[in-house]
Amino acid sequence: MRYRTRVTAPAAALIGTAAALTVGGTAQATEKDQGTPGPETLGDPVFPSLGNDGYRVAAYHLDLAYDATTRLVDATATLRIRTTQPLTRLSLDALGLDIRSVRVAGRPAAFEQADEKLRITPARPLPARARVTICVEYGADPRRALAHTAWVVTPDGFAICPQPNSAHTVFPCNDHPSDKADFTFRVTVPAGLRGVANGLATGTETLGDGRTAYTYRSREPMATELVQITVGDYVVKDRQGPNGLPLRDVVPAARAAALEPALALTPGLVGWLEQRLGAFPFETYGLLPCNSDDPAAFDFTGLETQTLTLYKPNFLLQEEKKIGSHMMHELVHSWFGNLVIPATWADLWLNEGHADFYGLLYRYERGWTDSLGYSAFEDRMKYTYGLGDQWRHDSGPVAAPNAVNLFDSQRYTGGVLVLYALRQLVGEDVFHAVERCFLDRHRNSSATTQDYIAVASEVSGQDLSGFLRDWLYGTKTPRMPGHPDWTVTPVSSSLAPRRRTGGYHDNSATL
């Protein structure tokens, strides 16, 4: 897996500028070593064409202006990168964007769009370990039909849902979770609308033509798939969370009162989870009930865009026992999935298994029956254990997905079963110590399944690599510690992996 040293750039260094090439302590490339085109992949096992090598992104500044009349977006993406090798050409992921110009180190650069790549040839080769600013001016139509898209069109604007591989339909980027970066945003909207993005607001500017520009900054680095930008007729509702945490909800103005009972649940959810995983890891948290009732607007109930979770609004209009478990699921992603991002998409179970694990614990602790009629964690795990071989047959091992079955139940409840087996083996106290250590060791970075196995072995004082690899990669379900009587149902080739009709993201047991 690839790890990088985080380089933090002040927002002022990115806004409205295309700074010249800086080479810190490194000689310029010689005529003998002019470099090569950077690889157009990071070798992800699930999405092999996603991401680009030869550089890492330190920071993005995204400047988007929405026109309510044409419903189009005019944008500039400014990237601060650091090369890892000499480059004659580099690429960004980009799909469905109308690229107008590209500048590298302040100079116009040649470019071409091919498939889902934006290939950029700078005016002169880039040496290794160079800090370079890239500025891309482009337009976008959120309504454009694409093979896949992050745009969620609403009657009054848009929101975005980039996971897993669609951030580059909104802005050109190195669209892979392993390449976290700092983000700043400027969202310009016409009168009557509000623009919102991840992190905290840093300013509001009233422009001469009646438009308003809202600026935001994410305090911690973020993966491209966790970006949120939304425009609409919203009100921002602030409230206090545990230990002084500022909570910020972005709510459709016409639904603010109806959604308030669900929004008011967040402080209690945060408090419960902080007791188990430690202090909330970001500067703020809140919900964004997207202003759309279209069931086809996006194929999930909630999405953990960093500091601002996107929801279908009608889901949040239900009573607490219908929504509290899944609200916990999405909140858990602030730790597992946002603070610590999976290094590849094959490691998705680290996100979804943990989110369902704590979401189910929260449900059963309150005596709420789940969708299958179970009201005890152990009973649900026994049922899931019986499906173990079938799910491995239909959806592959827990930590070995492909692009088709990535969001099957195996990554959700199947991941819960792995964590339950680990807790059964090492005991509750050691299990919680493993969780805390893993989060602390890999905070603000990416981690692999092997990283989790290594932490579990270290903290428990025993080599758990064989045990966990059997659970995570085996084609047969191992025996469950402490439950020798549990049995696995024989595989039937006629059965299909359990999928909900609401969308491929909605296989969470917390729904």
Side-chain angles (χ1 to χ4, degrees), residues 61-68 72-76 158 185-191 193-197 203-216 229-232:
H61 177 71
L62 305 180
D63 189 340
L64 279 69
Y66 177 69
D67 187 321
L72 300 178
V73 174
D74 188 64
T76 301
F158 64 85
F185 306 86
R186 187 173 190 262
V187 186
T188 302
V189 297
L193 299 181
R194 181 185 288 266
V196 182
T204 302
E205 181 184 0
T206 301
L207 304 179
D209 55 3
R211 298 182 302 159
T212 303
Y214 298 90
T215 56
Y216 297 85
I229 307 167
T230 187
V231 169

Side-chain angles (χ1 to χ4, degrees), residues 210-243:
R211 298 182 302 159
T212 303
Y214 298 90
T215 56
Y216 297 85
R217 179 171 183 152
S218 180
R219 186 187 65 190
E220 306 296 343
M222 183 163 55
T224 52
E225 55 112 352
L226 301 176
V227 168
Q228 181 55 255
I229 307 167
T230 187
V231 169
D233 181 13
Y234 291 113
V235 293
V236 176
K237 305 186 72 172
D238 296 312
R239 71 188 78 230
Q240 186 89 344
N243 304 308

Side-chain angles (χ1 to χ4, degrees), residues 175-413:
D175 199 3
H176 193 268
S178 63
D179 196 15
K180 277 190 169 188
D182 293 333
F183 275 84
T184 56
F185 306 86
R186 187 173 190 262
V187 186
T188 302
V189 297
L193 299 181
R194 181 185 288 266
V196 182
N198 310 82
L200 292 176
T202 57
T204 302
E205 181 184 0
T206 301
L207 304 179
D209 55 3
R211 298 182 302 159
T212 303
Y214 298 90
T215 56
Y216 297 85
R217 179 171 183 152
S218 180
R219 186 187 65 190
E220 306 296 343
M222 183 163 55
T224 52
E225 55 112 352
L226 301 176
V227 168
Q228 181 55 255
I229 307 167
T230 187
V231 169
D233 181 13
Y234 291 113
V235 293
V236 176
K237 305 186 72 172
D238 296 312
R239 71 188 78 230
Q240 186 89 344
N243 304 308
L245 175 69
L247 299 176
R248 172 215 38 183
D249 299 309
V250 179
V251 192
R255 302 184 181 200
L259 288 164
E260 178 58 27
L263 305 178
L265 299 176
T266 299
L269 294 166
V270 173
W272 186 90
L273 198 52
E274 284 190 330
Q275 294 177 7
R276 289 153 179 83
L277 299 181
F280 187 79
F282 300 111
E283 63 270 40
T284 186
Y285 181 70
L287 310 187
L288 168 61
C290 182
N291 195 19
S292 175
D293 292 317
D294 183 356
F298 44 93
D299 57 1
F300 52 85
T301 297
L303 183 67
E304 64 275 14
T305 45
Q306 192 161 306
T307 71
L308 189 62
T309 295
L310 181 65
Y311 272 104
K312 288 184 174 177
N314 285 338
F315 172 77
L316 296 174
L317 295 176
Q318 302 177 90
E319 60 183 326
E320 181 183 1
K321 67 180 181 180
K322 297 288 187 180
I323 64 176
S325 181
H326 194 67
M327 288 179 70
M328 179 61 72
H329 171 110
E330 297 300 343
L331 178 61
V332 171
H333 282 313
S334 294
W335 284 263
F336 290 96
N338 294 10
L339 177 67
V340 180
I341 197 84
T344 76
W345 283 107
D347 303 302
L348 179 71
W349 80 274
L350 288 167
N351 291 15
E352 305 303 346
H354 278 98
D356 260 14
F357 182 89
Y358 291 101
L360 288 174
L361 282 180
Y362 186 76
R363 176 191 291 275
Y364 299 134
E365 185 179 290
R366 274 145 188 77
W368 298 335
T369 303
D370 64 28
S371 61
L372 299 182
Y374 294 107
S375 57
F377 194 81
E378 185 172 304
D379 292 341
R380 181 62 183 260
M381 290 297 95
K382 183 177 181 180
Y383 167 81
T384 305
Y385 183 82
L387 297 173
D389 283 2
Q390 186 70 54
W391 282 4
R392 290 168 190 267
H393 172 271
D394 295 336
S395 299
V398 174
N402 59 40
V404 174
N405 62 37
L406 178 62
F407 290 98
D408 281 4
S409 297
Q410 180 72 306
R411 255 50 74 190
Y412 291 78
T413 327

Side-chain angles (χ1 to χ4, degrees), residues 459-479:
V459 173
S460 68
Q462 53 184 307
D463 184 0
L464 297 178
S465 56
F467 174 83
L468 284 172
R469 290 190 68 83
D470 285 348
W471 274 97
L472 290 162
Y473 296 105
T475 57
K476 294 293 183 181
T477 307
R479 302 295 296 176

Side-chain angles (χ1 to χ4, degrees), residues 175 488 499:
D175 199 3
V488 180
R499 293 188 176 93

